[in-house]
Every structure is written in C-alpha cells, then in structure tokens.
Amino acid sequence: MNRESDRQVRWVAPRALVAHLLVLCFVPGCLIAGWWQATVAMSGNGLSYLYAFEWPVFAIFSVVLWWNFLHDDPDEVGGRRLRELRRDESISGERAELRSPDFRTEDEDDELRAYNDYLAQLAQRDRAKGWRSR
Amino acid sequence: MKTLWSGSREGSLLRYRAMAFTVGTGLLLLVFVGIPIQIWGHSKAVVAVVGPIHGYLYLIYLAAAFDLARRERFPISRLFVMISAGLVPFVAFIIEHRIVASLRAEERSDATAS
C-alpha cells in the first residue's frame, strides 16, 4: 500500500468516472434493497432477515472493488496484458514454425494459394483470440 | 487439502474453483428445482432452505473471485465476468473452466520461456 499511496490516483479519468457512476447507482440500490428486506422481515417474513444483512455486504463489496479499481497500478495491469500478448504471439509463432515446411510452398497454383491464404487467415484469427474464447 | 487455505496461487485458484462449483450447483438447484416447486407445487420449502444458503455462499464466492483476481492481477473486466457468471445458470462452470485454462496456458508458456 505504501508504494501505491505514493502514486497519484486519477479520480477523473474516463474509466474512473464510469466506476464512480456504477458505484453511485449500485450502493444506494443495495441499501434500498436491504432496507426493503428489513421491512419485510419486520412484518413477519423470517427468511428476509438473512437477505436484509446480505444486501449491505454487497454494497460494501462494491465500494472495496471501486477503491481497488482506482488504486490499480497501471504498470501491473499493463504488464499482465503485455505478457499475455507475448504468450499468444509465441504460441502462434510456434504453430507457424511447425507448419512452415508444408505450408506456403514456392510452386503454388491458384487453388493451393487460395487454400493457404485461407489457412493463414484462420491462424490470424486464432492469434486474435483472448482468454474468453480459449 | 493443504493448499485450500494456503496463500499461494494454487490455493486461491482452488478456493475460487470450489466456490464456482458450489454456487453454480446452488443456482441450478434454486432455478430448476426450487422455483418450479414454488410456482407449480405451491411450496416454499426448497426455496426457503436453498435461497439463503446460496445467498451467503455467493458472498464467499465473491470474496474468492476477488482474491484470485487481485492476486493474479486480472483486469477488472474479467472480475466482472467472474462475478456475473455466478448469477446466470450454467455460466459459472464455463467461466471457471476458461479461467483455469488461461492460467494453465500461462504457466506452460512461463515454463518454456524460462
């Protein structure tokens, strides 16, 4: 935390403003829902006691998340992105090396060239895939 | 189960996976057993038991997901995906699978790079 507190937190960057907006909507929503469950619990629905305590926890969680998000070290997040990018490149690089002997020969006729272009396009699309599609 | 409580990546990942499985199963129970029984069976028995338990397990799931995301420096978007995965039937299992796959792929590439 010491190192993080040295860094200047950007409270008005676009991503920070989105986070402010989300928290400003979500926290009152949680509190209203918690209050509503509390009133339901008071009127005799025992089950609602549990939910009345759960909603404020969601509100606290979102505030913790918001705080962490604002204090994220951009170098660390960026470093991870860079490593992922390098990894994806090295994986597709390996794949290209494995393929290269029987892939893209000198004496391609039109049909083969079209097919190889298609394969290259597929490889390109694989490279663009992120963690969601893996 | 020594690694479950350890402060390592494996411990954090195992906690997240255990909670993703638990919450995913709990949500399926709630949506495909509890709610049909409440609507057509006119009985709140299942919902009254599974509902609150699932609600509090979801809180633990949030904590586990948050811990893993912080430890592994996930981008916030991925954490949002993990959080919302716990709210949609079946999706928790899919996202858990992909998170594990991406971390394993990273380990493999780190092993070959070094």
Side-chain angles (χ1 to χ4, degrees):
Chain A
M1 281 308 272
N2 288 331
R3 199 169 53 87
E4 284 182 11
S5 59
D6 292 341
R7 242 170 19 81
Q8 201 185 349
V9 176
R10 294 183 65 193
W11 295 93
V12 287
R15 64 201 286 274
L17 290 176
V18 172
H20 300 333
L21 195 69
L22 284 176
V23 164
L24 276 178
C25 295
F26 192 71
V27 169
C30 285
L31 296 180
I32 290 167
W35 183 252
W36 167 64
Q37 285 296 325
T39 56
V40 173
M42 295 299 187
S43 60
N45 186 345
L47 198 60
S48 290
Y49 276 111
L50 293 162
Y51 294 128
F53 285 106
E54 193 173 347
W55 279 108
V57 178
F58 284 134
I60 295 168
F61 183 79
S62 68
V63 171
V64 173
L65 208 62
W66 168 74
W67 186 255
N68 265 289
F69 178 67
L70 289 177
H71 289 80
D72 250 348
D73 190 339
D75 292 341
E76 280 176 352
V77 177
R80 185 188 178 85
R81 291 238 172 89
L82 203 66
R83 265 188 292 134
E84 280 182 352
L85 212 67
R86 279 210 197 105
R87 192 186 73 217
D88 290 347
E89 271 172 6
S90 74
I91 289 171
S92 52
E94 274 169 29
R95 223 179 272 153
E97 272 172 29
L98 284 173
R99 257 185 211 157
S100 55
D102 57 354
F103 188 65
R104 295 261 89 128
T105 48
E106 290 293 313
D107 49 344
E108 286 176 340
D109 59 11
D110 284 347
E111 202 186 346
L112 186 61
R113 190 174 304 122
Y115 181 63
N116 280 343
D117 285 344
Y118 169 68
L119 284 182
Q121 203 185 337
L122 282 184
Q124 189 67 38
R125 205 175 59 191
D126 282 349
R127 193 177 306 167
K129 277 183 180 177
W131 66 279
R132 282 184 196 84
S133 48
R134 188 166 287 120
Chain B
M1 299 295 278
K2 203 177 169 186
T3 56
L4 189 60
W5 308 113
S6 70
S8 63
R9 166 195 255 191
E10 281 307 308
S12 184
L13 183 60
L14 197 59
R15 284 193 292 274
Y16 165 71
R17 296 187 69 183
M19 286 320 297
F21 184 78
T22 313
V23 167
T25 312
L27 189 64
L28 290 185
L29 263 181
L30 202 59
V31 170
F32 293 109
V33 180
I35 290 176
I37 287 178
Q38 184 179 1
I39 293 174
W40 293 295
H42 303 291
S43 162
K44 277 193 158 188
V46 178
V47 172
V49 175
V50 178
I53 294 175
H54 175 261
Y56 277 86
L57 286 174
Y58 183 72
L59 288 182
I60 303 174
Y61 170 76
L62 281 186
F66 183 69
D67 173 52
L68 182 68
R70 293 304 299 172
R71 200 184 293 272
E72 295 302 321
R73 309 277 181 250
F74 284 168
I76 199 97
S77 55
R78 194 182 301 189
L79 180 57
F80 271 123
V81 170
M82 289 159 84
I83 289 172
S84 28
L87 302 172
V88 189
F90 298 111
V91 177
F93 302 112
I94 300 167
I95 295 299
E96 181 264 343
H97 186 79
R98 285 185 184 169
I99 296 274
V100 173
S102 90
L103 285 179
R104 293 292 177 245
E106 192 168 294
E107 279 167 11
R108 272 199 302 279
S109 77
D110 287 352
T112 50
S114 60

